[in-house]
Amino acid sequence: RVYAGAGIRSMSRMLAIIHMSPELDPSKWDHTDEEKYGIGNVEFRSPEHFYEVFGIDVKKKSNEGHLCDFVDTGDMHKLFTQYLRADGMGLDYSKIVYKFTDPRPGETDDDETDDTEE
């Protein structure tokens, strides 16, 4: 049982590295090679800004509904194409002030599934 609990520790580490566990004390997870395998430090491309743009609340562990509709309809593509970086390295988040909100709050998301039942 050398690896007992490794999955839980790994998940905690990964969530902390991508800033999805703000409640987790940084002294409680392994920072080995974080700089090498982490998220980098490009200005204006923080995980927090990404989560804000796409309606993800890491404190409440929730997200705005119907994000798939925003993607599937091409609306996201149309809106964000203008923010493509000149160097071809994704979007220039420093120019994005958009914040996704559920266009149909209260309606069940068609793509919503309960992964615990699988």
Side-chain angles (χ1 to χ4, degrees), residues 17-66:
I17 288 173
I18 63 172
H19 302 193
M20 286 198 98
S21 290
E23 72 284 353
L24 187 60
D25 179 348
S27 69
K28 302 293 183 193
W29 57 277
D30 181 6
H31 293 265
T32 304
D33 291 330
E34 182 180 1
E35 290 299 314
K36 184 176 182 179
Y37 298 110
I39 58 172
N41 58 359
V42 175
E43 191 174 9
F44 302 113
R45 197 176 69 189
S46 71
E48 290 80 6
H49 185 64
F50 176 87
Y51 301 143
E52 187 177 273
V53 168
F54 291 101
I56 299 167
D57 186 328
V58 297
K59 290 180 181 166
K60 292 181 183 175
K61 308 292 186 221
S62 65
N63 60 280
E64 294 286 328
H66 302 100

Side-chain angles (χ1 to χ4, degrees), residues 85-118:
R85 293 168 42 123
D87 63 7
M89 298 298 288
L91 297 171
D92 182 350
Y93 280 89
S94 70
K95 296 179 179 160
I96 298 176
V97 294
Y98 180 83
K99 294 180 184 177
F100 178 78
T101 56
D102 189 341
R104 299 187 315 275
E107 277 187 36
T108 302
D109 196 337
D110 295 338
D111 294 333
E112 193 174 284
T113 59
D114 183 355
D115 294 335
T116 61
E117 293 181 17
E118 290 181 19

Side-chain angles (χ1 to χ4, degrees), residues 1-7 9:
R1 301 202 53 108
V2 174
Y3 299 107
R9 288 190 306 275

